[in-house]
Amino acid sequence: MEIIVANESHFKYAQIISDTITDSAKVRGTGIARRTPEYIIKRLENGNAVIALEGDKFAGFCYIEVWGNKGFVANSGLIVHPDFRNQGLAKKIKKRIFELSREKFPKAKIFGITTGLPVMKMNYELGYKPVTFSELTDDPEFWKGCQTCKNFDILTRTERNMCLCTGMLYDPSTKIKEKEKLNSKAFQRLKSIKESLFLKKKTK
């Protein structure tokens, strides 16, 4: 298995990457924004993505998005093909895209929003901390990317202050202390509270 920085030679995988992201959102029933093949190609051509391959077979992918005049970067679109899941590949891809982000944008804050507990755990192990949305980029183009997510109406109703996703941030200027054990139950409880709150509002 190779996990490498993507380039133009990987354009042929754009469709399967897009399809895998879409299919994963349907299966998991979570708020994953759709990404077109054209969108994926732009990320492949600028050296801001990593791709996992077993021979010529696509296994996984993740890319970097740059916001706020390079003050913020996001590691987005993390996906593993169904044939390669439950092998620890997502964690390896996440680690490599994080390293690439630090190499290319050493002063940038790295952030992400997710509903998935496994991704929260991976972020936490890399030094991310849970934060409010106000601590993330205010670049409107980033938030436009949420429009294809099924929970976008929640983000709109709360004036971009809250959603079912949890915001997480890695700040390179902050001294990293000894990591505490991630309280998975607390994250799960937070997610349940959010879902209950927004669903109640929607049904009124």
Side-chain angles (χ1 to χ4, degrees), residues 64 73 75 97-106 110:
I64 300 169
V73 299
N75 296 162
I97 198 69
F98 178 79
E99 292 170 347
L100 183 62
S101 300
R102 297 286 292 122
E103 291 164 14
K104 297 191 71 172
F105 309 99
I110 307 173

Side-chain angles (χ1 to χ4, degrees), residues 46-49 62-77 94 96-113 123 128 131 135-139 142 167-172:
N46 63 12
N48 283 350
C62 193
Y63 63 89
I64 300 169
E65 291 183 302
V66 184
W67 307 103
N69 197 28
K70 298 184 180 180
F72 288 87
V73 299
N75 296 162
S76 303
K94 184 71 177 177
R96 184 65 190 96
I97 198 69
F98 178 79
E99 292 170 347
L100 183 62
S101 300
R102 297 286 292 122
E103 291 164 14
K104 297 191 71 172
F105 309 99
K107 295 182 180 180
K109 295 178 180 180
I110 307 173
F111 74 98
I113 58 174
N123 285 346
Y128 289 67
V131 295
E135 295 177 68
L136 307 180
T137 180
D138 59 0
D139 191 322
F142 170 77
M168 300 192 75
L169 181 75
Y170 171 87
D171 186 345

Side-chain angles (χ1 to χ4, degrees), residues 30-195:
T30 55
I32 301 176
R34 293 191 299 276
R35 295 292 181 248
T36 65
E38 293 75 22
Y39 185 95
I40 298 297
I41 285 174
K42 287 182 180 179
R43 273 66 199 171
L44 293 170
E45 68 184 354
N46 63 12
N48 283 350
V50 298
I51 189 168
L53 300 171
E54 187 173 76
D56 290 331
K57 191 171 183 181
F58 168 71
F61 177 76
C62 193
Y63 63 89
I64 300 169
E65 291 183 302
V66 184
W67 307 103
N69 197 28
K70 298 184 180 180
F72 288 87
V73 299
N75 296 162
S76 303
L78 175 62
I79 195 70
V80 173
H81 190 275
D83 293 348
F84 297 94
R85 288 176 186 163
N86 302 313
Q87 300 176 26
L89 182 57
K91 191 172 183 178
K92 293 177 182 177
I93 295 172
K94 184 71 177 177
K95 184 173 184 293
R96 184 65 190 96
I97 198 69
F98 178 79
E99 292 170 347
L100 183 62
S101 300
R102 297 286 292 122
E103 291 164 14
K104 297 191 71 172
F105 309 99
K107 295 182 180 180
K109 295 178 180 180
I110 307 173
F111 74 98
I113 58 174
T114 181
T115 58
L117 186 58
V119 176
M120 291 181 199
K121 287 180 178 178
M122 286 187 279
N123 285 346
Y124 196 84
E125 289 171 2
L126 290 169
Y128 289 67
K129 299 297 181 185
V131 295
T132 61
F133 281 9
S134 64
E135 295 177 68
L136 307 180
T137 180
D138 59 0
D139 191 322
E141 289 302 312
F142 170 77
W143 299 101
K144 280 183 182 179
C146 296
Q147 289 179 347
T148 57
C149 172
K150 70 174 187 176
N151 298 319
F152 185 66
D153 66 309
I154 297 174
L155 190 67
T156 303
R157 292 203 310 269
T158 63
E159 298 181 346
R160 218 168 65 195
N161 289 317
M162 190 181 294
C163 196
L164 295 187
C165 280
T166 295
M168 300 192 75
L169 181 75
Y170 171 87
D171 186 345
S173 67
T174 303
K175 185 177 179 181
I176 299 178
K177 300 177 181 178
E178 184 179 351
K179 294 186 181 103
E180 301 172 357
K181 186 176 180 182
L182 175 66
N183 190 334
S184 300
K185 289 184 178 179
F187 273 114
Q188 200 68 38
R189 188 160 57 248
L190 173 63
K191 183 180 176 183
S192 297
I193 290 170
K194 285 183 179 181
E195 289 176 343

